[in-house]
Amino acid sequence: MHLIETVLFLLLAVVASGWVARITRLPLPLVQIALGAGVVMITGESVDLKPDIFFLLFLPPLLFVDGWRIPKAALYRDRAVILELALGLVVFTVLGLGFFINWMIPAMPLAVAFALAAILSPTDPIAVSAIAGRSPMPKRLMHILEGESLLNDATGLTCMRIAVIAATTGAFSLTNAFGTFAWLALAGVAMGVMVALGISLLKGAISKRWGEDVGGQILVSLLMPFAAYLAAEAVQGSGILAAVAAGITMSFTEREGSALAATRIRRAVVWDTVQFTANGLIFVILGEQMPSIFARAKEVIRSTPHAEVYWLAIYVFAIVAVLAVLRFLWVWATLKLTLFRGRLSGGKRPKLRWRLVAVMSLSGVRGAITLAGILTLPFFVQDGSLLPARNLAIFLAAGVIIVSLVLASVALPILLRGMEELPDTHLHTDEDRARRMAAAAAIRALEETQRTQQDVHARADEYAEVVARLMETYRHRIELYSGEAPDQVARNQKLDALERELFMVALKAQREELIKLSRSRMVGEETARKLIREIDLLEIRYD
């Protein structure tokens, strides 16, 4: 009963955090962390964060849905930048920050310093998107950061695992480290692809022969990331990469369009709820751990050469500064050698502006994965003695999380104001072209149906009237999204926006009238619910 009450209380904190964030205009992650810390200080009780359970419950569904929904074309287009950030930057950070921490705090062994640097290397895109929500981030930049975070979690955790082995055994082999990393990556990706592909083929065959159960399809999609994660962990692969690979594979299998429309709509709503709830719980639980970690400051400072507690704050700010500098240098070099190497359509070479590099550098916010990962540090080494500076590493990781969140909350909205999109040699006409081609396909299908239907001659007038009405709608869409003169395109877009605005007014009037009819019992409750649902679907379509 106590566990159930705790879970319900955490869910209530997630709901309250949304209201508080709207009222105070503060970033949602900071509000959720503050609420979690407040709950502990008021009640004196907190959730015992077990890293293995945390990774299993929260990471698979969140990484799965990110891999499922991230635009694959954007991911492939910027693959060089993403891989350089997710792999090269992590190794660069581990080496640079690890040596710096060992130099700054000689009491922390080099292997432990490398472990701390490794777990500080993964970024948290959830926090970045929430912080940048007040001043929207350019889409292409956000896609790069999301792609980076999908891969650097596994890279950082793998580097940490290697560093922990070196810290506990006192031995390190570059060959073994490379082999371990390669197996974790390959086995994780392979298991994720196989699990997602196998489940998709199986449920597709069952649905095709015996019909589709909407509720069952949604439940299968919810269980798929956990199956991929556990399968990969069973063969000593990366469960994180397996969940990402399963999500990406799921997006390709869904392109066949075999699922019912009702399944896709309801599944999207369910996954939105899961994503919101899991993200909120992560930061609330993160906040609950902070008071106990910071309460041990006096104990932690004893493992350093200094006796004053304020030196812990100096260490934290120094680590944040070095992380920012390392990321700034790597991001500048990566963008200079990739995105800004070619020329735009006009023959001009794009300029790499410092504000873009600063935004990408500050977007390296650390979050719950960092805290959960650092808590997996073992207590003892191979000979049975205590692992040196374990509590200090946990304290520093927690401090870096808070400082990086606050710093990004203050600086990112300022830097993002009026920021231009990344230079792109591709024309941003994919959506318009797709709409035109889909509308043209609809017109051809209507014409073909009109010619081939057996009863078309008996009902020629009815067919002609309905087909003409539908074809006029699709011709209007083709005209609206055609590559005309800029002035005409702008005018069409304004007319389209006005049409949506007026249509929403009409839908609102319809809904209010149906509610009145239902209250006065002039229309049955079931009928009113059905008609209001139709209006709701139309509103979602036009909003």
Side-chain angles (χ1 to χ4, degrees):
M1 182 61 70
H2 178 70
L3 176 61
I4 296 175
E5 291 175 353
T6 302
V7 172
L8 293 176
F9 203 76
L10 291 175
L11 292 174
L12 180 61
V14 173
V15 175
S17 67
W19 297 339
V20 174
R22 288 176 179 271
I23 294 172
T24 61
R25 305 290 297 171
L26 291 173
L28 185 60
L30 286 179
V31 172
Q32 290 167 341
I33 290 174
L35 282 176
V39 167
V40 173
M41 289 187 288
I42 293 173
T43 63
E45 298 181 357
S46 65
V47 175
D48 183 15
L49 181 59
K50 298 184 182 300
D52 294 339
I53 297 177
F54 176 87
F55 284 143
L56 176 60
L57 287 180
F58 292 103
L59 292 191
L62 291 177
L63 295 173
F64 176 83
V65 74
D66 284 341
W68 187 359
R69 291 177 171 178
I70 190 171
K72 306 307 175 295
L75 195 65
Y76 181 78
R77 178 183 59 186
D78 295 319
R79 61 191 181 280
V81 180
I82 292 171
L83 288 175
E84 287 170 12
L85 292 174
L87 299 177
L89 178 57
V90 169
V91 176
F92 183 59
T93 301
V94 171
L95 294 176
L97 185 61
F99 281 116
F100 173 78
I101 293 174
N102 179 252
W103 169 82
M104 182 175 62
I105 311 174
M108 181 177 289
L110 184 60
V112 178
F114 279 145
L116 175 58
I119 202 57
L120 287 174
S121 58
T123 55
D124 193 334
I126 301 165
V128 175
S129 59
I131 291 169
R134 296 175 295 169
S135 182
M137 186 175 288
K139 285 186 178 180
R140 189 176 181 186
L141 177 56
M142 196 65 210
H143 291 158
I144 291 174
L145 294 173
E146 289 173 347
E148 175 197 1
S149 69
L150 287 177
L151 301 178
N152 69 7
D153 291 341
T155 309
L157 290 171
T158 302
C159 290
M160 179 188 168
R161 181 182 298 186
I162 295 170
V164 168
I165 294 174
T168 54
T169 64
F172 174 76
S173 170
L174 186 60
T175 305
N176 291 338
F178 180 78
T180 300
F181 181 82
W183 173 254
L184 285 168
L186 294 176
V189 171
M191 292 305 298
V193 172
M194 287 192 295
V195 168
L197 193 60
I199 293 176
S200 297
L201 292 175
L202 179 62
K203 68 183 181 68
I206 294 174
S207 299
K208 186 176 182 180
R209 181 164 184 177
W210 290 287
E212 183 170 307
D213 178 24
V214 175
Q217 293 282 337
I218 296 173
L219 186 57
V220 167
S221 72
L222 291 174
L223 294 175
M224 192 181 298
F226 298 103
Y229 184 92
L230 291 173
E233 291 293 323
V235 297
Q236 301 298 314
S238 171
I240 291 175
L241 282 180
V244 174
I248 294 175
T249 305
M250 182 72 172
S251 68
F252 284 109
T253 59
E254 287 290 306
R255 289 184 178 180
E256 298 179 1
S258 57
L260 295 175
T263 299
R264 291 194 295 269
I265 293 173
R266 295 177 186 176
R267 185 175 57 195
V269 173
V270 169
W271 270 106
D272 286 342
T273 305
V274 170
Q275 194 172 23
F276 170 79
T277 305
N279 287 340
L281 285 174
I282 282 176
F283 286 107
V284 172
I285 294 174
L286 177 61
E288 284 197 328
Q289 310 305 309
M290 292 301 174
S292 62
I293 293 175
F294 291 138
R296 296 195 293 266
K298 291 184 179 180
E299 175 187 342
V300 168
I301 195 64
R302 294 173 189 162
S303 61
T304 70
H306 305 282
E308 297 83 2
V309 176
Y310 66 80
W311 273 98
L312 292 175
I314 295 175
Y315 293 154
V316 168
F317 282 106
I319 292 174
V320 171
V322 172
L323 278 172
V325 171
L326 292 175
R327 186 173 176 86
F328 186 94
L329 294 174
W330 190 271
V331 166
W332 180 86
T334 297
L335 295 181
K336 193 71 175 176
L337 295 175
T338 51
L339 295 186
F340 290 81
R341 182 178 56 187
R343 296 181 182 272
L344 297 176
S345 57
K348 295 182 178 180
R349 188 180 297 275
K351 292 183 178 180
L352 178 56
R353 303 185 183 278
W354 72 269
R355 188 163 68 157
L356 172 61
V357 181
V359 167
M360 291 194 68
S361 302
L362 287 173
S363 298
V365 177
R366 275 66 191 174
I369 292 176
T370 293
L371 184 63
I374 200 65
L375 289 176
T376 62
L377 279 178
F379 285 92
F380 303 99
V381 297
Q382 196 172 38
D383 61 3
S385 60
L386 290 173
L387 180 69
R390 180 182 185 274
N391 289 337
L392 176 60
I394 294 174
F395 184 95
L396 294 177
V400 169
I401 292 171
I402 297 298
V403 173
S404 65
L405 277 171
V406 173
L407 182 62
S409 301
V410 175
L412 272 183
I414 298 173
L415 291 172
L416 286 171
R417 284 188 197 135
M419 184 176 176
E420 299 178 355
E421 259 286 7
L422 285 171
D424 194 357
T425 56
H426 299 78
L427 295 175
H428 298 281
T429 57
D430 289 349
E431 183 177 342
D432 291 349
R433 183 174 63 250
R435 290 180 185 274
R436 291 197 307 270
M437 295 178 68
I443 291 176
R444 291 194 301 269
L446 290 172
E447 292 173 343
E448 183 67 21
T449 302
Q450 191 175 11
R451 285 196 303 267
T452 58
Q453 284 290 343
Q454 295 179 354
D455 60 344
V456 68
H457 298 294
R459 305 167 61 189
D461 294 340
E462 296 177 5
Y463 266 89
E465 181 181 351
V466 174
V467 168
R469 188 190 312 159
L470 292 174
M471 290 177 67
E472 180 63 27
T473 300
Y474 288 113
R475 288 195 182 101
H476 171 69
R477 292 185 185 179
I478 293 175
E479 179 183 355
L480 180 63
Y481 298 106
S482 294
E484 301 171 343
D487 293 342
Q488 184 62 33
V489 172
R491 182 175 182 275
N492 288 340
Q493 290 175 346
K494 289 181 180 179
L495 291 176
D496 189 44
L498 180 60
E499 180 182 340
R500 287 198 302 269
E501 181 181 346
L502 295 176
F503 196 77
M504 297 295 286
V505 172
L507 290 177
K508 182 179 179 181
Q510 290 183 66
R511 185 186 294 107
E512 291 176 351
E513 183 64 24
L514 287 173
I515 292 173
K516 290 180 182 178
L517 292 174
S518 177
R519 287 178 177 175
S520 61
R521 299 186 179 180
M522 296 178 65
V523 173
E525 182 179 350
E526 186 175 350
T527 301
R529 188 184 299 114
K530 175 184 176 182
L531 297 177
I532 290 175
R533 174 173 170 75
E534 293 177 1
I535 293 172
D536 291 341
L537 292 174
L538 284 173
E539 183 174 343
I540 293 173
R541 155 71 179 82
Y542 278 90
D543 189 6

